[in-house]
């Protein structure tokens, strides 16, 4: 099967002077093809809303749906998904549930996807959204989390019965890579400071190496201030004074904790989109990666995070106008119309919110496919 | 007579600063906040009614806050005699790092300790002092009750939870290797025995302190074998404690829900690293490490209560430090020893001091913003003692 690469071969990315991610090759007749992995829980219904919205706004994106059944033991389905993403270059996904009562040979499907595609940077932009009531105001933090190694290496063994060892791997190459990514992103977005989060006072070699790599990279960016903070102090500062943070970079597990804390601070898991970037591929999903089993198919889930993730995807594809149009409509619904779902204190259903967003788009945007 | 003269001087001083309101003030019923670590207290050997407690002042602001606590205990006439010891890492026979033998002896004899903050060097030399202490006395459980303090406003109100953290293994086993140049491996150790022990402790604590539920915090979706083992042990122990509700939750879900609605949580039990992060997160919810007490329970009846904040070397010796954390930990210690009356008196006095905005605002100002108007700061400890004194003499 031959891939039609419109951007002129492997050197496409370098020619266009882009950062680390090359534009996706799957573009036929002006329409992009994106892999869609519905996942479990609220994933399928929210991603259906995304498709509905895209159809309504006439966004030139086609979805190739690949289902991954979390209960199946074989890894064929996730491998198919990986192949599809390699083909299309970009994916939008819901979270795939991991049953942690199954034996260790059954690995987390989400983790497999990330490591197979080498999506080394997980980027999450937490900002206080207009119209959402929170305890803290004026939060604007970008969290960059190493996505492939650290505590998520899934290397465990039981040498002596009753004693389990789990390995946390930190490598110089990956630490340099993520630090480089963080500083480049900070410079691009005009950010002033990067904070490395670690626990090097206890894990002297592992986190010590990570911190060392961050310091080395920081030396090459004199215009950006660099400091570091221990992870427990970080969480404490986040709940008392989150406004002090700008850009944060950290290994995998601390990234998990810090990103969930920040998501909670700005209003919850239903509001924040996340992106996973690799050298050649990009996968977009909600930042906190929840399946939301308890609210699945009840029409109460908050579609904001998934819709904003799809906007990030449109930005990545270069369809910036569509992205800003949809984003503006979402923010208007949140702040002016104040149509909120239950998780942020309102009474609206998911479909009501999506309808409202479509109405906003119709009011301000180009001709749409139907009239609401 | 001299005592009365001293008392009236202090009261006059307090009146001048507006911290003391003449007239009867009924000490409010304080909830069993710093709950007894154990409900049954073993009869301890008393010599002339005095119980010995080893006190480790620590570094930085440690010595000053320790002396503040000692003074307050003297004022409250608590039957404790203090044995002061210092801990510095020394290399024992065989090249292993250990704490000085006098400190170990004193602790083994008294079984109860109160510790100030100890310095931890980053990425160098000997292991952390706190880690050494834990290893020496097998302090397997770290208990941190986090309750919102009335009068100290934070964005979170009505926090009332306890974090119980496995203190000896997990990610802090200290086992790291450089596999090849540029690749480092840290080993996280989870054992059946330690997991069972901490789970049993957590359920016993919940039962003894009338807590409704215990939640195990884990990441078994990723670390299937290690956190899976921890979870299995928790489930097994839960079978023997049917009166306490048991739930399991992922670490990220706990963090997410904790910053949105901390009232959902009761007792949390977890391995070392998650415990470290979560207990500090909860401390941040109620106002920081400066007001959070902490207790470490060991295998042989040893218990060390400590203040968990840093050594704050920049304000050391300037008489600006806030002794609340160490004081509340000392109150926790009194409850553990069965001296509930004294514990209640001191705790009430402490909360009253905090509730009194004038004193407290200056204390918080000093510790939080690190201002240094020397003339006013001198009264801080005196005020604490004064208010305690006045409380103890009021019927």
């Amino acid at each position: 099967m031959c891939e039609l690469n419109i951007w002129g071969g492997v050197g496409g990315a370098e020619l266009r002077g882009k950062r680390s991610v090359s534009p996706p090759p799957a573009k036929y007749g002006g329409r992009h093809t994106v892999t869609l992995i519905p996942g479990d829980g609220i994933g399928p219904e929210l991603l259906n809303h995304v498709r509905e919205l895209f159809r309504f706004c006439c966004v030139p994106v086609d979805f190739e749906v690949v289902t991954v059944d979390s209960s199946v033991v074989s890894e064929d389905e996730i491998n198919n998904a990986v192949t599809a993403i390699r083909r299309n270059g970009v994916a939008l996904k819901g979270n795939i549930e991991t049953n942690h009562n199954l034996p260790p040979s059954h690995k987390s499907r989400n983790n497999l996807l990330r490591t197979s595609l080498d999506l080394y940077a997980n980027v999450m932009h937490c900002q206080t959204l207009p119209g959402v009531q929170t305890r803290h105001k004026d939060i604007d933090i970008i969290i960059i989390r190493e996505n492939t190694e650290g505590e998520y290496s899934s290397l465990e063994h039981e040498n002596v019965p009753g004693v389990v060892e789990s390995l946390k791997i930190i490598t110089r190459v990956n630490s340099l890579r993520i630090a480089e990514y963080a500083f480049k992103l900070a410079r691009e977005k005009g950010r002033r400071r990067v904070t490395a989060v670690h626990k090097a006072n206890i894990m002297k070699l592992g986190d010590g190496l990570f911190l060392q790599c961050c310091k080395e990279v920081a030396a090459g960016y004199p215009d950006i201030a660099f400091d570091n903070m221990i992870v427990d102090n970080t969480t404490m500062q986040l709940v008392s004074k989150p406004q002090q943070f700008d850009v944060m970079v950290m290994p995998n597990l601390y990234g998990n904790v810090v990103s969930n804390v920040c998501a909670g601070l700005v209003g919850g898991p239903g509001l924040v989109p996340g992106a996973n970037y690799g050298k050649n591929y990009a996968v977009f999903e909600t930042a906190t990666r929840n399946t939301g089993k308890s609210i699945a198919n009840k029409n109460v889930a908050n579609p904001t995070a998934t819709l904003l993730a799809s906007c990030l995807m449109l930005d990545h594809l270069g369809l910036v106008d569509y992205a800003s149009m949809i984003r503006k409509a979402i923010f208007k619904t949140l702040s002016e119309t104040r149509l909120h779902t239950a998780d942020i204190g309102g009474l609206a259903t998911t479909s009501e919110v999506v309808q409202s967003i479509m109405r906003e788009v119709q009011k301000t945007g180009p001709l749409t496919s139907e009239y609401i | 007579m001299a005592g009365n003269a001293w008392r009236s001087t202090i009261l006059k001083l307090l009146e001048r600063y507006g911290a003391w309101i003449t007239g009867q003030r009924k000490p409010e019923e304080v909830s069993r906040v710093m709950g007894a670590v154990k409900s049954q207290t073993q009869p301890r050997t008393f010599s002339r009614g005095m119980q010995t407690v080893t006190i480790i002042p620590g570094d930085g602001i440690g010595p000053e806050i320790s002396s503040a606590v000692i003074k307050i205990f003297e004022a409250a006439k608590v039957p404790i005699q203090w044995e002061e010891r210092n801990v510095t890492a020394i290399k024992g026979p065989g090249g292993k790092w250990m704490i000085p033998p006098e400190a170990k002896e004193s602790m083994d004899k008294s079984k109860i300790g109160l510790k100030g903050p100890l310095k931890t060097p980053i990425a160098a030399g000997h292991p952390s002092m706190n880690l050494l202490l834990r290893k020496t006395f097998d302090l397997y459980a770290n208990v941190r009750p986090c309750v919102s303090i009335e009068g100290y406003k934070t964005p979170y109100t009505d926090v009332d939870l306890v974090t119980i953290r496995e203190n000896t293994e997990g990610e802090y086993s200290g086992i790291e290797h450089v596999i090849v140049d540029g690749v480092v491996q840290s080993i996280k150790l989870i054992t059946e025995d330690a997991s069972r022990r901490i789970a049993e402790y957590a359920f016993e604590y919940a039962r003894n302190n009338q807590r409704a539920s215990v939640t195990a915090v884990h990441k078994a979706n990723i670390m299937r074998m290690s956190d899976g083992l921890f979870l299995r042990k928790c489930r097994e122990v839960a079978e023997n404690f049917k009166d306490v509700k048991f739930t399991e939750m992922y670490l990220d879900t706990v963090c997410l829900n904790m910053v949105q609605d901390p009232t959902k949580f009761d007792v949390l039990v977890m391995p070392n690293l998650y415990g470290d992060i979560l207990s500090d997160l909860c401390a941040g919810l109620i106002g920081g490490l400066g007001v959070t007490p902490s207790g470490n329970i060991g295998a042989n009846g040893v218990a060390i209560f400590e203040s968990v904040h840093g050594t704050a070397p920049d304000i050391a010796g300037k008489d600006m430090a806030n002794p609340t954390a160490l004081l509340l930990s000392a109150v926790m210690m009194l409850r553990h020893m069965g001296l509930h009356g004294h514990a209640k008196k001191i705790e009430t006095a402490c909360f009253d001091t905090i509730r009194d905005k004038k004193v407290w605002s200056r204390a918080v100002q000093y510790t939080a913003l690190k201002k240094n108007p020397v003339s006013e700061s001198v009264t801080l400890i005196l005020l604490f003692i004064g208010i305690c004194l006045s409380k103890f003499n009021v019927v």
Side-chain angles (χ1 to χ4, degrees):
Chain A
M1 187 196 123
C2 93
E3 283 174 73
L4 193 69
N5 192 333
I6 298 187
W7 306 111
V10 175
E14 286 83 326
L15 282 174
R16 285 164 55 94
K18 267 226 161 151
R19 247 189 306 116
S20 47
V21 191
S22 3
K27 190 174 180 189
Y28 305 86
R31 297 185 65 84
H32 298 262
T33 308
V34 167
T35 310
L36 188 83
I37 302 170
D40 300 308
I42 52 174
E45 69 180 276
L46 293 181
L47 289 170
N48 275 338
H49 284 301
V50 170
R51 284 154 85 180
E52 207 184 300
L53 184 64
F54 276 21
R55 227 187 341 258
F56 179 78
C57 303
C58 302
V59 176
V61 168
D62 293 318
F63 288 107
E64 181 190 343
V65 181
V66 182
T67 39
V68 177
D69 190 352
S70 53
S71 51
V72 169
V73 173
S74 114
E75 291 187 2
D76 287 341
E77 293 203 349
I78 193 67
N79 288 334
N80 288 341
V82 169
T83 312
I85 301 175
R86 279 198 224 273
R87 188 169 48 234
N88 298 322
V90 175
L92 188 61
K93 80 183 257 291
N95 197 44
I96 305 165
E97 193 192 342
T98 307
N99 182 354
H100 59 265
N101 294 315
L102 290 174
S105 50
H106 180 97
K107 298 200 186 336
S108 156
R109 300 298 183 237
N110 305 300
N111 203 22
L112 271 176
L113 201 124
R114 289 191 292 266
T115 45
S116 315
L117 297 168
D118 198 25
L119 302 168
Y120 63 89
N122 177 277
V123 181
M124 172 175 152
H125 187 182
C126 271
Q127 37 183 341
T128 310
L129 294 180
V132 180
Q133 278 285 43
T134 51
R135 287 185 177 90
H136 306 269
K137 315 270 176 249
D138 301 322
I139 300 174
D140 191 354
I141 309 174
I142 297 183
I143 297 167
I144 296 158
R145 160 189 176 187
E146 209 292 325
N147 219 4
T148 52
E149 55 173 25
E151 296 82 350
Y152 287 42
S153 322
S154 298
L155 293 164
E156 299 180 297
H157 50 254
E158 190 170 359
N159 282 335
V160 175
V163 177
V164 175
E165 285 185 355
S166 172
L167 305 182
K168 163 179 166 167
I169 309 286
I170 301 274
T171 57
R172 194 176 168 71
V173 168
N174 288 347
S175 304
L176 283 173
R177 193 167 62 162
I178 194 68
E180 193 65 51
Y181 185 92
F183 278 91
K184 271 216 178 95
L185 187 70
R187 187 174 264 172
E188 239 174 69
K189 305 258 176 195
R191 297 292 191 143
R192 300 264 51 96
R193 198 157 57 94
V194 172
T195 307
V197 177
H198 64 97
K199 190 89 190 152
N201 53 342
I202 303 292
M203 284 180 258
K204 299 179 202 291
L205 290 183
D207 285 352
L209 175 61
F210 179 81
L211 199 55
Q212 174 70 20
C213 294
C214 290
K215 285 190 182 138
E216 277 174 28
V217 173
Y221 292 80
D223 51 326
I224 299 177
F226 172 69
D227 57 4
N228 65 76
M229 202 182 262
I230 300 182
V231 61
D232 40 12
N233 189 19
T234 309
T235 47
M236 216 166 20
Q237 297 293 328
L238 276 171
V239 292
S240 42
K241 238 180 3 121
Q243 296 82 6
Q244 63 182 289
F245 294 104
D246 196 357
V247 176
M248 296 164 81
V249 63
M250 59 205 89
N252 217 331
L253 185 68
Y254 312 145
N256 189 217
V257 172
V258 170
S259 54
N260 276 275
V261 170
C262 289
L265 291 174
V266 298
L271 294 175
V272 195
N276 303 286
Y277 294 108
K279 189 152 168 287
N280 303 310
Y281 313 108
V283 174
F284 300 88
E285 53 178 351
T286 62
T288 48
R289 303 171 178 168
N290 302 97
T291 28
K293 254 195 326 200
S294 53
I295 52 171
N297 298 320
K298 292 191 182 150
N299 203 15
V300 293
N302 194 338
T304 311
T306 313
L307 290 173
L308 286 174
S310 64
C311 290
L312 286 177
M313 181 193 76
L314 292 173
D315 280 330
H316 178 80
L317 292 173
L319 300 169
V320 180
D321 294 329
Y322 287 103
S324 49
M325 176 179 81
I326 297 176
R327 216 173 261 135
K328 241 193 286 204
I330 296 173
F331 289 156
K332 238 193 174 155
T333 305
L334 273 178
S335 56
E336 288 179 24
T337 329
R338 287 195 180 262
L339 211 58
H340 291 172
T341 44
D343 62 321
I344 42 177
L347 297 166
T349 60
T350 316
S351 24
E352 277 171 20
V353 175
V354 176
Q355 295 278 311
S356 165
I357 294 171
M358 292 205 266
R359 259 196 302 269
E360 292 297 332
V361 166
Q362 183 159 65
K363 267 192 245 170
T364 59
L367 210 59
T368 48
S369 64
E370 305 141 28
Y371 285 107
I372 289 290
Chain B
M1 200 53 226
N4 272 339
W6 189 37
R7 177 172 171 258
S8 54
T9 320
I10 300 264
L11 288 176
K12 279 210 201 79
L13 195 69
L14 292 171
E15 271 183 43
R16 184 150 62 97
Y17 279 79
W20 168 244
I21 300 162
T22 41
Q24 297 279 26
R25 220 187 329 166
K26 198 171 168 200
E28 267 152 90
E29 196 58 41
V30 179
S31 67
R32 39 115 195 96
V33 162
M34 313 300 161
V37 179
K38 259 198 218 148
S39 70
Q40 306 108 322
T41 45
Q42 304 110 313
R44 298 186 183 275
T45 44
F46 283 80
S47 60
R48 284 182 290 125
M50 297 287 270
Q51 165 118 42
T52 317
V53 169
T54 310
I55 182 160
I56 302 167
D59 308 310
I61 54 172
E64 17 183 318
I65 55 176
S66 309
S67 59
V69 169
I70 293 175
K71 282 198 200 107
I72 294 173
F73 271 45
E74 262 170 36
K77 297 197 191 55
V78 182
I80 282 184
Q81 77 192 16
W82 303 95
E83 231 175 65
E84 198 172 302
R85 292 284 179 270
N86 268 314
V87 292
T88 41
I90 57 171
K91 243 197 173 144
K96 231 177 140 215
W97 291 100
M98 51 184 241
I99 64 169
E102 317 88 56
K104 184 168 192 315
E105 234 178 81
S106 164
M107 215 34 181
D108 284 334
K109 217 171 22 148
S110 59
K111 296 285 186 199
I112 307 275
L114 187 65
K115 176 176 97 54
L118 291 173
K119 255 198 317 240
T120 298
I122 292 191
H126 61 83
S128 133
M129 282 317 305
N130 295 307
L131 258 176
L132 262 183
L133 270 174
R134 271 168 226 151
K135 286 222 157 80
T136 314
F137 298 108
D138 198 15
L139 301 171
Y140 67 90
N142 178 274
V143 183
R144 226 186 260 189
C146 292
V147 183
S148 287
I149 295 179
E150 200 192 313
Y152 189 29
K153 279 257 148 294
T154 59
Y156 300 89
T157 52
D158 301 325
V159 180
D160 184 6
L161 52 91
V162 181
T163 55
I164 297 178
R165 157 194 175 189
E166 206 292 323
N167 222 357
T168 56
E169 54 172 27
E171 297 82 348
Y172 293 8
S173 48
I175 311 170
E176 293 186 298
H177 314 105
V178 180
I179 314 280
V180 291
D181 192 24
V183 178
V184 174
Q185 155 188 306
S186 295
I187 296 188
K188 163 179 165 167
L189 208 63
I190 299 277
T191 58
E192 225 177 88
D193 291 334
S195 307
R196 195 183 342 105
R197 195 165 57 165
I198 192 72
E200 268 167 11
Y201 182 79
F203 278 96
E204 255 173 46
Y205 182 92
R207 187 178 266 173
N208 293 341
N209 291 279
Q210 291 93 44
R211 309 294 300 210
S213 71
V214 171
T215 307
V217 181
H218 64 97
K219 262 221 89 64
N221 51 346
I222 301 293
M223 286 176 260
R224 197 70 54 79
M225 276 176 93
S226 35
D227 284 354
L229 174 61
F230 179 80
L231 261 189
R232 264 199 320 274
K233 289 294 141 202
C234 287
R235 284 179 194 151
E236 276 171 28
V237 172
E239 295 297 313
N240 300 333
F241 289 84
K242 293 280 190 198
D243 49 332
V244 179
K245 180 160 161 250
F246 174 66
T247 45
E248 310 167 358
M249 225 189 230
Y250 287 136
L251 173 66
D252 39 14
T253 315
V254 172
C255 288
L256 190 59
N257 293 339
M258 183 74 75
V259 292
Q260 294 184 274
D261 186 12
T263 58
K264 281 201 211 137
F265 298 99
D266 197 353
V267 177
L268 300 163
V269 64
M270 56 211 123
N272 217 331
L273 177 68
Y274 315 151
D276 192 8
I277 300 177
L278 265 181
S279 56
D280 278 6
L281 179 68
C282 299
L285 297 177
I286 60 166
L289 293 181
V291 294
T292 311
S294 168
N296 298 292
I297 311 303
N300 303 315
V302 171
I304 301 186
F305 298 86
E306 59 177 354
S307 60
V308 285
H309 50 73
T311 50
D314 46 344
I315 56 170
K318 293 190 186 152
D319 205 13
M320 281 167 38
N322 182 352
T324 308
L326 194 62
L327 188 59
L328 290 176
S329 306
V331 166
M332 216 173 147
M333 176 186 82
L334 286 175
R335 290 219 158 87
H336 179 82
M337 289 160 62
L339 297 165
H340 296 282
H342 292 283
K344 196 168 176 100
K345 265 197 279 193
I346 299 179
E347 190 184 53
T348 317
C350 184
F351 286 166
D352 284 345
T353 314
I354 295 171
R355 209 177 294 125
D356 185 325
K357 297 258 180 331
K358 221 168 175 176
V359 174
W360 188 242
S361 60
R362 265 177 287 170
V364 169
Q365 231 183 351
Y366 297 157
T367 53
L369 304 175
K370 299 192 173 142
K371 284 198 171 58
N372 186 11
V374 177
S375 53
E376 290 180 282
S377 65
V378 163
T379 59
L380 180 63
I381 294 192
L382 268 177
L383 283 165
F384 256 92
I385 300 168
I387 290 194
C388 293
L389 261 183
S390 60
K391 288 292 148 211
F392 304 144
N393 281 310
V394 165
V395 171

